[in-house]
Amino acid sequence: MIKSVSETTAAVKEAAAYIKTRIEDGQIPKICIVLGSGLAPLADECIDPISISYADIPGFPVSTVPGHAGKLLIGTLEGKRVFMMSGRFHSYEGYDTSLCSLYVRVMYVLGVRTIYLTNAAGGIADGMEPSDLMIVTDHLSFFCDSPLRGPNLDEFGERFPDQSHVYDPEYISILESIGKQEGIRLHKGVYAYSKGPQYETPSEIKALKILGAGAVGMSTVPEAIIASHCGMRIAAVSCISNLAAGISDKALSHKEVMDNAAKSSSDSCKLAKLFIKAI
Ligand code: HPA
């Protein structure tokens, strides 16, 4: 069923209005950090956080993935006010991509203009090792139902948005220089969206490699599309939690993904903090 513009806009505004009631005037952040696997410990570094359970926010879905907490934090990091999404929504959980990314518009209505997206991903490009990080320079969204499908919400952006620079070039250089300065193993590459929840087959990974993918994962793209539609500046970092199917002989498992994401977390947190400090 096609939702009307007013229904969708009202849902976004209702969620934003509720969150606003929980924050003091003048304390609303302009930055949102999405804590994918590996970045979860950053939540503990958020100073004086207000914590709102997703279940309490009108219209928010509930995150069903183990390891994804399901709460919104509002606090201070590196002296800057930030929202932290601790837990996100995936289409493999059964949600439409528009529902997975609804929170991005809620953030926009609240005044957020920079989003820092993180995720766990399977490494495809040559030279990657588990627990490396990859700065996302672009994405392949062919396998992602567009979250912009349906009536266009003109107050957020235009019907046919340009996608030439989804990931902010200046943010990419900031991340690169932090990596160099801190000796963090950082790659740059294209993130390919995969619907999941099953991991890819080796043939699918071969095809993605030919298409130019550096890593593959099941999130981020719907959110990046919605964020770019409303003109937010986007940075995204993937934690290479495993080598993608067929790149190594090893069978893939969620446990390996979580273990390697945890191993990379000190580098992921350092990179995120220095980035927030730099912008
Ligand atoms: N494929 C898709 N999603 C993932 C992977 C992968 O290999 N690793 C972590 N998320």
Side-chain angles (χ1 to χ4, degrees):
M1 202 185 64
I2 298 177
K3 281 206 173 140
S4 71
V5 171
S6 54
E7 253 182 312
T8 323
T9 311
V12 169
K13 290 194 172 155
E14 194 187 346
Y18 173 75
I19 294 167
K20 219 169 170 179
T21 62
R22 304 281 305 267
I23 313 174
E24 276 176 36
D25 282 350
Q27 294 291 302
I28 300 181
K30 294 195 165 30
I31 301 169
C32 174
I33 305 171
V34 180
L35 308 182
S37 313
L39 205 61
L42 197 66
D44 298 331
E45 305 207 28
C46 189
I47 296 169
D48 292 336
I50 299 164
S51 174
I52 308 179
S53 164
Y54 292 163
D56 293 336
I57 305 175
F60 260 44
V62 176
S63 175
T64 64
V65 190
H68 284 254
K71 59 187 184 209
L72 173 66
L73 302 177
I74 305 116
T76 304
L77 185 74
E78 295 294 329
K80 305 224 166 104
R81 299 287 299 157
V82 292
F83 284 110
M84 283 190 192
M85 290 283 295
S86 183
R88 57 139 72 87
F89 318 106
H90 307 81
S91 71
Y92 64 74
E93 295 173 79
Y95 303 122
D96 281 357
T97 53
S98 57
L99 194 53
C100 297
S101 53
L102 176 121
Y103 78 87
V104 177
R105 282 180 167 153
V106 173
M107 293 289 128
Y108 179 79
V109 167
L110 286 165
V112 167
R113 295 296 178 265
T114 287
I115 189 161
Y116 186 86
L117 297 164
T118 62
N119 56 59
I124 298 179
D126 296 339
M128 285 183 167
E129 287 174 22
S131 300
D132 285 354
L133 300 177
M134 183 187 89
I135 304 167
V136 177
T137 55
D138 200 0
H139 67 226
L140 293 170
S141 69
F142 303 134
F143 303 116
C144 178
D145 290 330
S146 176
L148 295 171
R149 214 174 135 256
N152 187 54
L153 306 193
D154 295 334
E155 67 181 274
F156 292 97
E158 58 189 294
R159 170 77 294 186
F160 299 107
D162 175 53
Q163 296 283 274
S164 303
H165 301 287
V166 173
Y167 302 90
D168 191 282
E170 192 189 333
Y171 285 176
I172 293 171
S173 351
I174 294 174
L175 288 166
E176 266 188 294
S177 40
I178 296 169
K180 274 196 198 122
Q181 208 175 283
E182 300 297 320
I184 297 171
R185 271 182 70 90
L186 266 186
H187 304 264
K188 278 201 305 181
V190 176
Y191 176 93
Y193 181 83
S194 174
K195 282 186 172 161
Q198 75 284 1
Y199 292 112
E200 302 68 37
T201 63
S203 305
E204 286 163 347
I205 295 299
K206 257 188 211 158
L208 290 175
K209 189 169 187 179
I210 292 167
L211 293 176
V216 58
M218 304 173 192
S219 67
T220 300
V221 170
E223 295 130 292
I225 292 172
I226 290 296
S228 74
H229 181 242
C230 57
M232 280 190 198
R233 297 182 73 182
I234 306 171
V237 176
S238 296
C239 154
I240 303 304
S241 53
N242 55 285
L243 297 181
I247 302 277
S248 90
D249 290 341
K250 229 170 132 200
L252 272 56
S253 76
H254 185 56
K255 183 175 180 316
E256 183 200 357
V257 166
M258 297 311 284
D259 288 349
N260 285 324
K263 277 188 208 150
S264 75
S265 71
S266 92
D267 278 350
S268 297
C269 290
K270 194 195 273 178
L271 186 62
K273 286 198 307 192
L274 292 174
F275 175 79
I276 298 302
K277 193 174 175 182
I279 61 169

